[in-house]
Amino acid sequence: MTDRHPTDRTPRTGLPLAAAVLTGTVALLISLVAFGNITDFGTNQAFVRHVLAMDTTFKDPDLMWRAITSHGLQDAAYLAIIAWETVAGVVLLAGTVLWVAGARRGGFARARQISTLGLLMVVLLFGVGFLAIGGEWFAMWQSKDWNGLEAATRNLTVAGIALLVVHLPGAAGKPGSAE
């Protein structure tokens, strides 16, 4: 038995609310990350520079050819990260708004699409960008001082959980649908 308003054909479940809350949580998180990088530019600029330069790794000659020591390229990478974070935050905020609007109109398909885009942006940033490229390609795991793997894993996990909830059957308001 589903709880329905007499004029509403869309079953009311907790999944759309959970999807909205999780999307909003990741939107806030990534927006604060971007805001911090913009307002405290130098702190994470140093982080990106050290990771890309590989100057605090074991300095294995078989790996050091991967290092990027050009400040211009390092800063371009950092600016690209900030831009990606900012766009992801805006997309996720739009997804959150669409979840709320969908609750009033009874349709969540667009909210699911936009949220998926934003959440995948976060997954790409932290999974591909930080874990795979930073962690493995640039051997960030070897650094005691400039190792962001734990934070990247935390952000990837939160976004991944949100993505799963957004795609659970019923999260888009139609139980069993693959909308």
Side-chain angles (χ1 to χ4, degrees), residues 81-96:
I81 290 168
I82 294 170
W84 190 267
E85 293 165 345
T86 302
V87 172
V90 169
V91 170
L92 287 167
L93 179 60
T96 304

Side-chain angles (χ1 to χ4, degrees), residues 70-135:
S70 162
H71 286 296
L73 290 176
Q74 293 167 345
D75 291 347
Y78 183 44
L79 290 170
I81 290 168
I82 294 170
W84 190 267
E85 293 165 345
T86 302
V87 172
V90 169
V91 170
L92 287 167
L93 179 60
T96 304
V97 169
L98 288 169
W99 283 110
V100 172
R104 294 185 179 153
R105 292 192 307 260
F108 298 100
R110 188 75 176 140
R112 178 182 268 181
Q113 291 172 339
I114 298 300
S115 295
T116 297
L117 175 62
L119 291 167
L120 287 174
M121 289 179 74
V122 174
V123 166
L124 286 170
L125 177 64
F126 292 105
V128 174
F130 286 87
L131 294 180
I133 296 172

Side-chain angles (χ1 to χ4, degrees), residues 24-34 122 126 154-156 158-159:
T25 299
V26 179
L28 177 61
L29 176 64
I30 196 68
S31 296
L32 289 175
V33 168
V122 174
F126 292 105
R154 183 176 55 246
N155 291 326
L156 176 63
V158 172

